[in-house]
Amino acid sequence: MNTSSQTASYPGSWQKPPFIENPLLRWGLIVGAAVYLTAALGTMEIDIDRVMEGLPRGKRFLDAFFPPNFADNRGVMWEGILESIWMAIISTVVGIALSVPIGLGAAKNLAPTWVYLACRSVIAGSRTFPEIILAIFAVKLFGFGPFAGFIALSLGTIGFFAKLLAEDIENISPVQAEAIRATGASWFQWINYAIQPQVMPRMIGLSVYRLDINFRESAVIGIVGGGGIGATLNTAFSRYEFDTAAAILIIIIAIVMTLEFCSGFLRKWVQ
Amino acid sequence: MPTMTQNGELSWKRRTTATQLRNWAYWLIGIAIVSFAWHLISEKTIWFFVQDAPRQAADMGARMVPPKWSYMSQLWKPAWDTINIASIGTIIAMVIAIPVAFAAASNTTPHLLVRSAALFVIVSSRSVNSLIWALMLVFILGPGILAGTIAIGLRSIGFCAKLLYEAIEEIDQSQVEAIEATGASRIQKIVYGILPQVMPTIAGVGIYRWDINIRESTILGLVGAGGIGLQLSGSMNTLAWTQVSMILLVILATVFISEWVSAKVRGAII
């Protein structure tokens, strides 16, 4: 037996294979990232003196947060939070109602090309601009208050929900759709019995998720005049009532945690 | 199978009567909540302004065209800053999010207490919007890019860590066991057993978040945290609508380019 040739066929040490196999791409990405980072950091203009000066002020600022003051402005806080919740609910419902037809139109396997392109461009337009920018324009058009926030959040919902709905419809099993079509179903029956049951569980989960996002966004839309808890928060900041601001932030975190818990529970229950 | 009698014949229907009634009850509750919400919102609305909105929109639209192309020469720097805020913020977030994710995943966490702490970090970072982080950081660090970058970083930690720890929890345990059987230490187990499995997720999440951050960093300037939002709010306050439309075009272009880049890079890596 020739044992030496057998041991020779095993290398003595092993190395982890690199994550990106193509060496050209790997080194290209590394060098590109390094060049970009030096350029970016070089032009950042960090004012160290200002930061140093700000740090003790930052400590005082953080000290002012504690203890959070839930009591003094309770009435205003309650009103803001309720307004945010109602705004989030109604904008989610209206946004989803608007996104269902758009989502159906943006699914490649349902719609003719021109409808597809039109719906996709609506989605792209709504996705490009953050809710805040939409809110700025809504406030200009509709005046201060929750109505502007409602419009901005509904438009934001379209970009999110219609896109995911369209992608989900494109990924459905065509077998069931064909089976329903073979029974001679009309278009509406086809949508209702073949498409809807397949996408419904995920869509319910997503709508709760979007409710969660809309509530969180409603907390900042107030900064530009869109009503809700954000307006209260912004007022608290500009009146230097940081203890109230801390209380509002804690309430926002608590509501978001509750919503997240509920959405996880609901998603499990639906599926 | 739920059935009903139609013209004296048995026929199929989709739901049993009980389910049908329950569904109707849910719809009733839902509609009641929505109409109550609508009632409250409409109470606080000045309807005259809403009726006036189409005319205002037409007026504003007319003032916005044509975009002031010459303003572009002043926009290169803010646009570059916006991209930097997003990129460096994402890098900061990923560097912090990876250890947090390993602490939060139930199969890699060193202790239950560490796990709850990590989960708390994730939730609080996710709940506070980057604009609010920026608002606070501008107080501390002064207006500028640094505040925006850190705001984006803090906001993204929760998002990245959440997606990563879910991926870590869903890995194939048999590979980890194989590594463990060779006598590997805890760190070696993570580096050789878990990391290669979640590496595509790490890359994917980073690029996905970068794409979102480009969008978010366009608005940070509204509270003074650098980027193109500063020019946007300045132009709006001075009612320079042709500049506003130019800025919106730049934002549109930046977002499209970032989406294209992220799709390309994701395709190349994964």
Side-chain angles (χ1 to χ4, degrees):
Chain A
M1 276 212 320
N2 190 353
T3 46
S4 63
S5 72
Q6 263 180 4
T7 46
S9 62
Y10 295 103
S13 69
W14 172 84
Q15 259 196 330
K16 220 168 93 169
F19 173 55
I20 303 168
E21 272 174 35
N22 182 351
L24 206 69
L25 181 69
R26 186 168 72 234
W27 286 106
L29 277 177
I30 291 173
V31 170
V35 167
Y36 168 72
L37 276 182
T38 32
L41 289 172
T43 55
M44 247 175 103
E45 292 170 6
I46 298 170
D47 188 352
I48 298 290
D49 291 342
R50 174 64 183 81
V51 173
M52 282 303 145
E53 194 186 312
L55 284 181
R57 212 181 303 165
K59 194 183 167 304
R60 248 182 301 149
F61 174 71
L62 286 181
D63 284 343
F65 270 93
F66 295 102
N69 182 351
F70 288 92
D72 281 358
N73 297 307
R74 198 189 293 158
V76 195
M77 265 155 63
W78 256 115
E79 208 174 301
I81 286 162
L82 285 179
E83 199 172 286
S84 265
I85 293 177
W86 296 126
M87 206 161 87
I89 290 177
I90 189 116
S91 54
T92 311
V93 170
V94 172
I96 289 174
L98 291 175
S99 19
V100 168
I102 295 176
L104 287 175
K108 216 177 219 165
N109 49 353
L110 289 188
T113 316
W114 64 273
V115 177
Y116 170 78
L117 289 177
C119 290
R120 282 282 166 178
S121 44
V122 170
I123 292 175
S126 145
R127 268 166 53 79
T128 308
F129 294 113
E131 275 86 348
I132 300 284
I133 292 186
L134 296 176
I136 293 174
F137 282 99
V139 169
K140 291 258 181 237
L141 293 181
F142 299 104
F144 290 98
F147 191 82
F150 152 66
I151 296 283
L153 289 178
S154 306
L155 291 179
T157 306
I158 293 177
F160 171 87
F161 201 82
K163 178 167 192 275
L164 292 172
L165 176 65
E167 273 163 18
D168 220 31
I169 291 177
E170 282 171 3
N171 288 335
I172 60 161
S173 135
V175 182
Q176 294 175 35
E178 229 159 85
I180 299 289
R181 185 169 267 178
T183 64
S186 70
W187 193 78
F188 276 104
Q189 284 173 325
W190 185 57
I191 296 288
N192 198 18
Y193 288 91
I195 313 283
Q196 186 254 45
Q198 290 196 53
V199 297
M200 203 58 181
R202 185 143 181 268
M203 287 306 119
I204 290 180
L206 280 178
S207 44
V208 181
Y209 180 46
R210 184 66 213 189
L211 184 67
D212 183 14
I213 297 180
N214 276 349
F215 178 76
R216 256 181 279 182
E217 287 291 331
S218 78
V220 287
I221 273 179
I223 294 178
V224 296
I229 186 75
T232 325
L233 185 67
N234 200 28
T235 316
F237 268 117
S238 34
R239 292 172 65 179
Y240 300 105
E241 291 176 349
F242 293 131
D243 46 354
T244 307
I248 294 174
L249 286 178
I250 289 173
I251 293 174
I252 292 176
I253 293 177
I255 294 180
V256 169
M257 274 174 91
T258 321
L259 270 176
E260 205 153 280
F261 176 76
C262 291
S263 84
F265 179 74
L266 198 73
R267 254 180 281 184
K268 252 177 225 154
W269 181 67
V270 167
Q271 275 157 9
Chain B
M1 194 171 78
T3 51
M4 62 176 171
T5 327
Q6 195 174 39
N7 308 331
E9 266 179 69
L10 266 189
S11 141
W12 175 83
K13 65 175 178 175
R14 192 160 156 191
R15 296 185 180 91
T16 61
T17 314
T19 334
Q20 189 70 57
L21 282 176
R22 213 175 57 207
N23 279 357
W24 281 342
Y26 287 151
W27 274 107
L28 195 67
I29 296 170
I31 290 171
I33 292 176
V34 169
S35 36
F36 182 63
W38 175 247
H39 173 71
L40 287 181
I41 300 285
S42 70
E43 238 175 26
K44 293 188 179 168
T45 309
I46 301 168
W47 287 104
F48 172 71
F49 286 151
V50 178
Q51 281 162 8
D52 197 34
R55 210 176 55 78
Q56 293 283 343
D59 187 42
M60 201 161 79
R63 281 163 204 264
M64 279 168 85
V65 282
K68 190 176 170 190
W69 301 107
S70 60
Y71 189 52
M72 191 62 215
S73 58
Q74 293 175 48
L75 286 180
W76 288 111
K77 176 78 170 94
W80 168 247
D81 284 345
T82 305
I83 296 171
N84 290 343
I85 290 174
S87 314
I88 297 173
T90 312
I91 294 171
I92 294 173
M94 286 307 282
V95 168
I96 302 174
I98 292 172
V100 170
F102 275 100
S106 54
N107 49 352
T108 54
T109 184
H111 192 269
L112 202 65
L113 271 178
V114 180
R115 175 159 202 254
S116 343
L119 286 178
F120 179 74
V121 168
I122 291 176
V123 170
S124 42
S125 139
R126 269 161 54 79
S127 309
V128 181
N129 196 289
S130 51
L131 206 59
I132 297 177
W133 281 120
L135 197 66
M136 295 198 276
L137 285 166
V138 166
F139 270 92
I140 299 173
L141 300 173
I145 302 176
L146 185 66
T149 312
I150 296 178
I152 287 283
L154 288 175
R155 169 77 169 90
S156 310
I157 291 171
F159 178 90
C160 299
K162 183 178 156 73
L163 291 178
L164 285 181
Y165 95 75
E166 282 168 359
I168 294 172
E169 282 180 352
E170 281 168 13
I171 56 162
D172 181 5
Q173 205 58 43
S174 57
Q175 293 182 31
V176 184
E177 268 167 38
I179 301 283
E180 201 174 8
T182 65
S185 71
R186 197 185 175 81
I187 300 293
Q188 285 174 324
K189 231 165 59 182
I190 288 180
V191 172
Y192 292 97
I194 298 175
L195 212 53
Q197 290 194 56
V198 294
M199 208 60 199
T201 319
I202 292 179
V205 166
I207 293 160
Y208 181 36
R209 188 67 219 185
W210 177 74
D211 196 9
I212 298 176
N213 282 345
I214 291 267
R215 256 167 260 229
E216 298 225 325
S217 58
T218 56
I219 53 167
L220 291 178
L222 295 178
V223 294
I228 205 165
L230 205 63
Q231 268 68 23
L232 181 65
S233 79
S235 302
M236 287 188 107
N237 290 340
T238 53
L239 305 178
W241 292 108
T242 48
Q243 293 183 17
V244 171
S245 56
M246 190 62 224
I247 292 168
L248 290 182
L249 282 180
V250 172
I251 293 178
L252 201 73
T254 318
V255 169
F256 270 118
I257 293 171
S258 81
E259 217 157 78
W260 181 80
V261 169
S262 81
K264 281 283 165 208
V265 175
R266 228 179 312 182
I269 288 180
I270 300 162

